[in-house]
Amino acid sequence: MAAFSVYKVALDAIFDVPACLTWIRGKKAEEVARLLEGRKDQISEGHFADLYDAYEMEENEGIVLITQKGDWILAVELTRYRGAKSETLRSLSADGEAMALAWSIEWDAAFTYAVDGRIDVSFDPVRQATSASEAEYLEWSRAYGIYPQQWQGDWRAAAFTIAEKISGIRVDRDWKDRSHLILRIEKARDEEPDERPP
């Protein structure tokens, strides 16, 4: 089944809340963790459901799901969205490539693609599904088999299709159900002092 059709059917079942996905080529998982403000020792094995723990964490804490396939890594966040920041993408794409897709509950969204530390393309994917679409981004997406009718049909499916064409990573139910690496970014908490006996 064509990637666009897969995403059009599957995305609502995979992402029931807003998310930020960042695809990175040319970095190891430990380096991605550092650039997302975590540490190597905070990485362990886990599952997609672990991402929801982020809603119980402090503002400067968070959880990042990390998947590796060949030269590419996919990092998924539900709360922090560090991977969508321009400065982070510049660092993640140094000597490689990085792209991010992020959206909010109000459908504020951004798709950004960076190469060798430079932002090449950055646009609002929701806008491409409207009469206010921008010709330069519609033209750019044609190279990946995405045309105006796909943007209008399902902007998220269109953006995910482009990301898959570039990275080779398919984000579907099989991907969601696999085990992944989980980066758990937490502040060190002071231990409760032992209670002194009476």
Side-chain angles (χ1 to χ4, degrees):
M1 187 184 283
F4 179 82
S5 300
V6 169
Y7 290 122
K8 193 166 182 183
V9 170
L11 285 176
D12 284 338
I14 298 170
F15 295 102
D16 57 348
V17 293
C20 171
L21 293 91
T22 311
W23 294 259
I24 306 111
R25 184 182 65 78
K27 298 276 185 288
K28 296 193 181 313
E30 295 82 3
E31 193 172 3
V32 169
R34 181 181 62 78
L35 292 169
L36 294 176
E37 301 176 4
R39 300 188 314 268
K40 180 168 96 171
D41 63 296
Q42 294 174 317
I43 299 175
S44 60
E45 287 198 13
H47 294 87
F48 188 91
D50 293 320
L51 280 169
Y52 294 96
D53 293 346
Y55 289 109
E56 308 300 321
M57 300 171 87
E58 300 291 327
E59 187 178 333
N60 59 348
E61 299 179 323
I63 294 177
V64 184
L65 178 146
I66 298 173
T67 300
Q68 181 132 25
K69 181 181 179 186
D71 291 341
W72 283 88
I73 284 176
L74 170 59
V76 182
E77 306 167 88
L78 297 185
T79 58
R80 299 170 75 242
Y81 287 35
R82 294 294 195 277
K85 293 177 179 282
S86 294
E87 61 271 23
T88 306
L89 282 169
R90 288 188 187 98
S91 299
L92 289 169
S93 69
D95 301 317
E97 300 170 74
M99 65 190 139
L101 171 65
W103 67 93
S104 73
I105 200 162
E106 295 88 12
W107 298 117
D108 290 328
F111 185 94
T112 308
Y113 178 60
V115 180
D116 291 331
R118 186 187 70 252
I119 304 292
D120 267 12
V121 174
S122 187
F123 61 90
D124 177 351
V126 177
R127 186 173 182 179
Q128 309 320 308
T130 71
S131 59
S133 61
E134 297 150 297
E136 65 181 297
Y137 304 125
L138 294 178
E139 188 58 38
W140 179 82
S141 62
R142 282 177 200 274
Y144 302 100
I146 294 298
Y147 297 90
Q149 57 266 35
Q150 274 90 29
W151 285 115
Q152 291 160 15
D154 189 318
W155 66 266
R156 277 196 311 172
F160 271 86
T161 299
I162 292 171
E164 180 181 323
K165 292 261 175 94
I166 293 172
S167 70
I169 298 175
R170 174 157 288 184
V171 180
D172 58 10
R173 289 300 306 221
D174 288 343
W175 166 85
K176 183 178 182 179
D177 294 341
R178 287 200 304 265
S179 71
H180 302 271
L181 295 177
I182 296 291
L183 170 63
R184 193 172 286 268
I185 302 164
E186 295 179 282
K187 291 187 303 184
R189 288 178 170 70
D190 295 332
E191 289 186 24
E192 290 292 322
D194 291 335
E195 196 172 323
R196 188 174 292 178

